[in-house]
Amino acid sequence: MSLDLTLDASEEARFLNRISRLVKRLARKTHFTAREVEVCLLIYYKMVRADEGSLGGMLVSRHQLDAVFDASFGITDSATIGRIFTALDKSVTTHVTMETWTRMLSLFLRGTLDEKIDHCFRAYDISGEGLIRREHMMVLLKGCFIKQQEEDAEEDIKDLTELIIRQLDMDRDGAISLDDFREAVRKAPEMLECFGQALPDRPHVYAFSRTFLNRVSKY
């Protein structure tokens, strides 16, 4: 049975045959079954077909990914999307591979707490050195504040930064390591996105999951 009724059956079959090895590999590396990986990649394939500017007709563009974040996950801030994507794929690219796309959906829809901790830390590690320093925290937190008088905002950000450091800096060295972050969030999961959004919120995840699972349940 066809997985996607909007595609020609022979076109779908050719695509699935071409990616069969990738499907098996991603089913081992993600929280999806092979059938679910196929659905993920069919969505990806339809995005490629819809983008005349895709790289050789093979890769989803970052512009398209931004549109997915906006329409499907309710994330519109470009800086936030940039940090999320960098946490998923460290390579400097304007396109999104099938593997990154599938790993992203696996994390968003079914990721474990530890996977989400690692992802959020990478999103907050804006220097890429494996540490979140005080000055980085202030940059991240500044984006969380509703526009207000600059002097008031600076003081609020400083106060919030000191509060978070006291909760996260387990070894008291003035910077947050992955071990610090992991230990603190395991004790208090509400601290997971303490430096700003790095994952879709629950209503958007639920809505996307229902669409995704309904596609899978057809066969």
Side-chain angles (χ1 to χ4, degrees):
M1 184 180 294
S2 177
L3 304 189
D4 193 322
L5 298 179
T6 67
L7 287 178
D8 176 82
S10 60
E11 180 183 6
E12 178 182 305
R14 287 194 299 272
F15 173 70
L16 292 178
N17 182 63
R18 191 167 76 242
I19 63 169
S20 58
R21 290 185 179 179
L22 178 62
V23 168
K24 292 177 182 177
R25 180 161 60 83
L26 291 178
R28 293 192 296 269
K29 295 175 66 174
T30 66
H31 298 294
F32 294 139
T33 65
R35 284 288 194 181
E36 290 167 339
V37 171
E38 288 178 341
V39 172
C40 285
L41 296 181
L42 279 169
I43 295 171
Y44 181 100
Y45 178 62
K46 289 176 67 175
M47 291 169 63
V48 169
R49 289 171 78 245
D51 183 14
E52 295 179 355
S54 62
L55 188 62
M58 297 174 62
L59 295 174
V60 165
S61 68
R62 282 289 306 277
H63 176 73
Q64 284 183 294
L65 185 66
D66 290 352
V68 170
F69 273 94
D70 184 356
S72 299
F73 297 121
I75 303 175
T76 59
D77 179 68
S78 59
T80 299
I81 295 172
R83 286 194 294 270
I84 292 172
F85 183 75
T86 300
L88 293 165
D89 187 345
K90 291 293 185 183
S91 62
V92 180
T93 177
T94 58
H95 291 80
V96 184
T97 66
M98 289 186 185
E99 180 163 348
T100 297
W101 167 258
T102 307
R103 287 193 296 104
M104 180 189 79
L105 293 184
S106 176
L107 172 72
F108 288 176
L109 304 185
R110 295 180 182 164
T112 65
L113 177 60
D114 279 346
E115 287 172 341
K116 291 177 180 179
I117 288 172
D118 289 351
H119 166 78
C120 288
F121 183 85
R122 290 193 300 270
Y124 300 147
D125 179 18
I126 57 179
S127 68
E129 63 176 322
L131 291 172
I132 307 172
R133 301 187 184 278
R134 182 178 271 98
E135 58 268 29
H136 305 151
M137 300 176 206
M138 294 185 68
V139 170
L140 292 164
L141 291 171
K142 189 172 183 178
C144 302
F145 276 69
I146 299 173
K147 288 185 178 179
Q148 55 180 291
Q149 291 295 324
E150 189 171 341
E151 290 183 5
D152 294 339
E154 287 295 326
E155 288 304 313
D156 289 343
I157 292 168
K158 287 179 181 178
D159 291 344
L160 184 55
T161 298
E162 294 306 318
L163 177 63
I164 293 177
I165 287 176
R166 286 199 294 271
Q167 292 186 266
L168 297 186
D169 187 11
M170 297 299 181
D171 55 11
R172 301 295 181 242
D173 64 353
I176 311 302
S177 66
L178 176 57
D179 287 341
D180 288 336
F181 191 69
R182 186 180 287 127
E183 182 179 349
V185 175
R186 283 174 178 170
K187 292 178 179 178
E190 66 273 13
M191 296 296 292
L192 179 64
E193 294 181 272
C194 59
F195 294 119
Q197 188 170 16
L199 294 161
D201 60 29
R202 288 185 179 182
H204 283 94
V205 168
Y206 177 78
F208 191 91
S209 294
R210 294 310 305 157
T211 301
F212 179 80
L213 292 174
N214 285 342
R215 288 172 183 247
V216 173
S217 65
K218 288 181 180 179
Y219 36 84

